[in-house]
Amino acid sequence: MITIEINDQGVLEALRRLQARVGYLKPVLRGIGEVLIKSTKRRFATGTAPDGTPWAPNSPVTYDRLATWHLTKKGKLSKAGAARLAGKKPLIGETRRLSSQINAVLQGDALLVGSPMEYAATQQFGAEQGEFGTTRRGGPIPWGDIPARPFLGLSEADKRHILEIVAEALGGA
């Protein structure tokens, strides 16, 4: 399991004040979880990290490998395949599972936001060619360098939303 800990002092202090006042954070944490799920999923549409930097584009090798899945019997790229490749964004695979399976889970007074996909950490942090060993035929895993494309974390807008949720809870407490 990979853990990314967010230590934004403004957010943490607001949560401490709320906990001291109401003692029960689960409804607030659930609301924050919903906000973070939505903003994380939006990052896949925009192709940007929480800090707003764009993700590295797919490499030519990635496009070449994907193209082989869309070849006609004559070895030419099909029209449908060409259209798919033209719209291919980083981290958006054929199944779209990584972008659609973002979860928020409460564990005690902690909120965990992430993906159950086994390759999520590789996409978040990146990996060098061969970092995970080799195939039975001796090929490297992964077969090429994978740049880090952070999709988990707090953006400035996320922080503002969290503080708004906490302020609303404090106002009602």
Side-chain angles (χ1 to χ4, degrees), residues 6-17 163:
I6 305 298
N7 288 317
D8 183 272
Q9 293 307 312
V11 169
L12 290 174
E13 181 54 35
L15 288 170
R16 277 189 211 104
R17 283 195 323 266
L163 292 174

Side-chain angles (χ1 to χ4, degrees), residues 46-63:
T46 62
T48 55
D51 67 3
T53 58
W55 290 336
N58 290 318
S59 75
V61 175
T62 298
Y63 283 112

Side-chain angles (χ1 to χ4, degrees), residues 26-165:
K26 287 191 181 191
V28 173
L29 291 175
R30 280 192 196 100
I32 292 169
E34 290 175 23
V35 165
L36 295 179
I37 288 171
K38 287 178 187 174
S39 69
T40 301
K41 287 181 175 183
R42 268 194 307 274
R43 289 189 192 108
F44 287 89
T46 62
T48 55
D51 67 3
T53 58
W55 290 336
N58 290 318
S59 75
V61 175
T62 298
Y63 283 112
D64 289 346
R65 286 221 169 188
L66 292 172
T68 62
W69 299 344
H70 301 286
L71 297 178
T72 65
K73 290 180 183 177
K74 295 182 179 181
K76 302 281 185 190
L77 185 62
S78 67
K79 287 183 183 179
R84 272 199 159 140
L85 290 177
K88 175 71 176 96
K89 291 181 179 180
L91 300 191
I92 306 290
E94 293 288 319
T95 65
R96 299 183 182 276
R97 288 176 67 193
L98 181 62
S99 61
S100 64
Q101 293 189 19
I102 304 297
N103 304 314
V105 177
L106 291 175
Q107 285 188 351
D109 284 341
L111 172 67
L112 308 174
V113 179
S115 172
M117 305 308 299
E118 64 184 26
Y119 53 86
T122 300
Q123 300 303 329
Q124 176 81 15
F125 301 110
E128 293 181 7
Q129 181 180 27
E131 185 174 329
F132 304 127
T134 57
T135 65
R136 285 182 285 168
R137 294 184 171 180
I141 302 172
W143 47 266
D145 289 344
I146 299 174
R149 294 182 178 106
F151 58 95
L152 297 169
L154 295 181
S155 67
E156 290 303 316
D158 292 336
K159 292 175 191 176
R160 285 192 302 276
H161 285 129
I162 291 169
L163 292 174
E164 289 169 6
I165 291 169

